Each structure stands twice: as structure tokens, then as C-alpha cells.
Amino acid sequence: MSKKDYYEVLGIGKEASEAEIKKAFRKLARKYHPDVNPENKEAEAKFKEINEAYEVLSDSQKRSQYDQFGHAAFGGGGGGGEGGFGGGFGDMGGFGDIFDMFFGGGGQRRRGPTKGADLKYNMEMTFEEAAFGLEKDISIPRTETCEKCKGSGAAPGSAPKTCPRCNGSGQIQYTQSTPFGRFVQSRVCDVCHGEGKTVENPCSECGGSGHVRRTRKIHVKIPAGVDTGSRLRVSGEGEPGDRGGPNGDLYVYIRVKPHKIFNREGNDVITEIKITFPQAALGDEVEVLTLEGPVQLKIPEGTQSDTFFRLRGKGISDVHGYGKGDQHVKVTVVTPTKLTEEQKTLLMDFASTYGEKPAGIEKGFFEKVKDAFIG
């Protein structure tokens, strides 16, 4: 039975680059690997075929020979070893790449420095504090590098030693024999837990971990204009990194308490004041409370209930520095509920000037007076 063309086996053209050859091989290897297709003889044969093709085409010298003489360049067999394909998977230079996909990487890979975990702190603040900003100290429980051993975990005067089980690699290799050859699988060392070093004389302060738990006071500056949901990042104030990696960050999440008088819409402040009929009809000047203190607001004649007046620049500063909002004052005209006899007489006289016929104090009278004042 004639052998298939290696390029055809991998589904690539003869002009394919090394990267394209490797990509095609990995895709097919994932599909036909025996672990993915247990007891499937057809998949096993296909897996053997694509591995044989890859071993030849991934080697520039073997590929050149194959391009010139075809399968005859290898005595009619495959490219693995002097007598054909029987070299075993564990001896194939190109096959090492596939270990990453099925067994999680080679045994000599060491974990490098990693950044520490980020921390979260919830801060509740008043409406005024959010509007104007503040500085304060907050207490954060966190893990810190042990000062006594400088994070090594070893007692002063001693030092960590290379792990005798993994020889400092942090991983242990296990060889598994299969009908297709030997597979080398790597696992985290159970002695040093992947660190590559062991501590024989542990630090009395941290017990050999290199870290201690502390509550640290951190000074934070909250800018003016924050609101509920705002997040402040304090760089480097999180958990310490591993193996020399940088610290994580601290994130302060803001929650603003509601205010009895002020409401917020974006950077604008909304307030409400109540005025009397005479003030609405004749006009007046009233005092309005703002975040910066009381100010005088002019009420023009004939002001209707639910009218809004704007106080420019009396709102909240934009947290990004883009100006300042306004304060909007809603005016509500209050209808009196208790009147003296003299007041009732005056109102009836006033109503008569609008063509209203006084008919004593009856249920619809006050509704008519309200219509006269607010339309």
C-alpha cells in the first residue's frame, strides 16, 4: 500500500511555512489523539500518520530530502530514526510541542513573578463630602511581606535551599508508557509546591511563608465630584506579589448617603422651596440654601407653582475637572389650610374682583381661589 503524501496528510501546500505546518499539525493532533479517541484504531492510525508527516516536514533537512526524493529518501518508511518511524513519541523533537496541549507544559518551566491580588474597600460618605472631596485614613487588612525575613521565609542568618525533589524546577516529571511510545507528564512538585526552594529553618515571624497578616492605615484622597459607584484606584496598596512580582492595587468604591434637602442629577443639584400666595402673586426675595451656604433668590410677580429657577455654578464640581454644575430650585406655592375670619373675608373680596360671587365658605371656594392665583 502506497503512503500518502506528507503535505496531503497535514492538509497544507508545499509552500507552507514552518508556522503553518505546526498549526496544521496541532489542529489534527488535537482531533485524533488517542486520549480523545479511546479504543479507536482508525484514529490511532491517523494520529501516527500525521505525527510521521510532521516529524519530516518540521525538520528543514528532512523536508528538503523529502521534497527531492519523496518517501524513498527514508527507505520507503517514515522519517523517525534510521529504520523508519519506530523511534517512539518520547524521542521526537517536534512532538514535544503537543505536550502543552494534553499535559499542561514541560517539566522545566518555572513560574515567573506575578502581580499580587487587588483589594476592595467600600467607603460611605456624606453628600457634602462627595461634593467637595476629602482626605482620610482608612484601615486595610492585608497580607504583607515579612519584614524579619524580607519575604524569604527563612530565619535570619539562613536561606532557602534548592528543592531536593525537583532540583529547583518546581515540577516533577512522570513517564507514562503507551503502545505509541513514552509520554512525559509534568506536575507541580509536592514538596516545594512549585517554588523550587524549601525552607529548613523557617522564620519565627511568618512561619516560613514569607508573608504576615497586618492591618495597615492608608491615606486616601477622594476628589470632589465623586458619586455612588465611583471607584478610586490606589496603586500598589494591594496584596504583595509572588516571586518578586509587584503589589496589587487597592480599589475604593464610593457610596454617597442621601441628603434631606439636596438631590443630585449628574453635576446639578435639585432643591425645593415653598412660598405663599402673596409671595407668588406679588413677588419676593427669599433665602435658598446651597452647598456653599444660603443665597438670596428673587421670586418675580406671578410665579406659578412648580416653576424652576437656576443658580449658576452652585452645583457640584465635575470629578474630571470639566467645570461645575448648577443648582435648580423648584418653587411650590402652598395653599393655606387654616384661615381666620378676617382672612376669609379678604379672600372673598379679592375673588369678587375676578367676577366671583361670594357664597360663603363652601367646599369649592378654595379651589376657585387657587384657580385665580395659579390658573
Side-chain angles (χ1 to χ4, degrees):
M1 180 177 177
S2 61
K3 296 177 67 65
K4 284 187 178 180
D5 179 80
Y6 286 151
Y7 291 100
E8 182 182 345
V9 170
L10 296 182
I12 56 177
K14 291 188 175 183
E15 71 285 351
S17 64
E18 292 182 8
E20 290 172 330
I21 293 172
K22 181 177 290 188
K23 181 179 180 180
F25 167 67
R26 287 184 171 181
K27 180 179 179 181
L28 293 171
R30 281 194 296 265
K31 181 177 180 181
Y32 293 105
H33 193 275
D35 288 350
V36 182
N37 304 275
E39 300 182 4
N40 186 331
K41 299 298 181 182
E42 185 177 344
E44 289 179 4
K46 183 66 176 177
F47 185 74
K48 180 178 180 179
E49 185 179 48
I50 62 177
N51 191 76
E52 179 181 332
Y54 178 69
E55 185 188 4
V56 171
L57 298 183
S58 63
D59 186 300
S60 58
Q61 184 176 355
K62 292 180 181 179
R63 181 180 181 182
S64 177
Q65 293 174 347
Y66 179 75
D67 288 343
Q68 293 183 61
F69 306 107
H71 294 297
F74 310 103
E82 296 179 358
F85 180 69
F89 290 174
D91 300 326
M92 299 177 188
F95 195 74
D97 293 332
I98 202 67
F99 284 160
D100 290 348
M101 290 185 284
F102 296 107
F103 300 110
Q108 296 301 318
R109 294 185 180 178
R110 289 287 310 280
R111 293 181 297 166
T114 57
K115 183 180 178 181
D118 294 331
L119 295 177
K120 177 181 177 181
Y121 181 86
N122 295 319
M123 178 183 290
E124 188 175 64
M125 56 200 312
T126 66
F127 195 94
E128 289 85 355
E129 288 174 335
F132 296 109
L134 79 157
E135 295 186 36
K136 65 181 300 185
D137 291 330
I138 59 176
S139 296
I140 301 292
R142 68 182 184 186
T143 300
E144 297 186 349
T145 300
C146 178
E147 296 180 359
K148 188 171 184 178
C149 67
K150 309 303 180 184
S152 70
S158 63
K161 295 184 178 181
T162 301
C163 176
R165 180 164 174 77
C166 65
N167 294 319
S169 68
Q171 297 188 10
I172 302 296
Q173 290 186 343
Y174 298 86
T175 302
Q176 180 182 5
S177 297
T178 73
F180 304 98
R182 292 179 298 117
F183 287 93
V184 179
Q185 184 176 1
S186 297
R187 297 177 183 173
V188 175
C189 177
D190 56 352
V191 174
C192 67
H193 306 291
E195 297 298 327
K197 294 182 180 295
T198 59
V199 177
E200 295 182 355
N201 187 14
C203 171
S204 60
E205 183 73 18
C206 64
S209 68
H211 298 112
V212 292
R213 195 71 178 169
R214 300 226 189 278
T215 297
R216 181 71 64 181
K217 283 190 176 181
I218 299 174
H219 187 76
V220 295
K221 184 177 181 179
I222 308 299
V226 296
D227 199 359
T228 295
S230 296
R231 187 182 73 169
L232 174 70
R233 174 175 171 265
V234 186
S235 179
E237 293 294 353
E239 298 280 356
D242 291 330
R243 294 171 295 281
N247 284 9
D249 300 322
L250 170 65
Y251 288 92
V252 180
Y253 287 79
I254 305 298
R255 179 187 176 276
V256 181
K257 297 178 184 179
H259 198 278
K260 293 181 179 180
I261 298 175
F262 303 117
N263 289 310
R264 180 173 179 173
E265 290 186 7
N267 292 328
D268 290 340
V269 173
I270 312 298
T271 56
E272 181 179 353
I273 62 170
K274 296 179 180 180
I275 60 175
T276 64
F277 277 158
Q279 287 177 308
L282 302 175
D284 197 2
E285 191 169 292
V286 298
E287 187 176 86
V288 175
L289 184 64
T290 72
L291 287 169
E292 299 172 359
V295 298
Q296 294 300 117
L297 174 66
K298 184 177 181 180
I299 305 295
E301 294 182 6
T303 294
Q304 304 298 306
S305 193
D306 296 335
T307 298
F308 279 88
F309 295 94
R310 180 167 64 174
L311 299 175
R312 293 184 181 274
K314 295 299 182 181
I316 297 173
S317 298
D318 185 87
V319 71
H320 301 294
Y322 301 126
K324 196 173 184 180
D326 302 321
Q327 180 167 331
H328 300 272
V329 183
K330 178 183 177 181
V331 171
T332 300
V333 179
V334 179
T335 302
T337 57
K338 294 182 180 180
L339 296 173
T340 65
E341 290 299 323
E342 181 181 4
Q343 291 171 333
K344 293 176 183 178
T345 300
L346 291 172
L347 283 175
M348 285 189 289
D349 291 342
F350 173 78
S352 66
T353 64
Y354 275 79
E356 297 285 350
K357 181 179 179 181
I361 305 302
E362 57 186 28
K363 185 176 180 180
F365 173 75
F366 289 108
E367 292 180 359
K368 295 177 182 178
V369 173
K370 180 179 179 181
D371 290 339
F373 276 92
I374 63 175

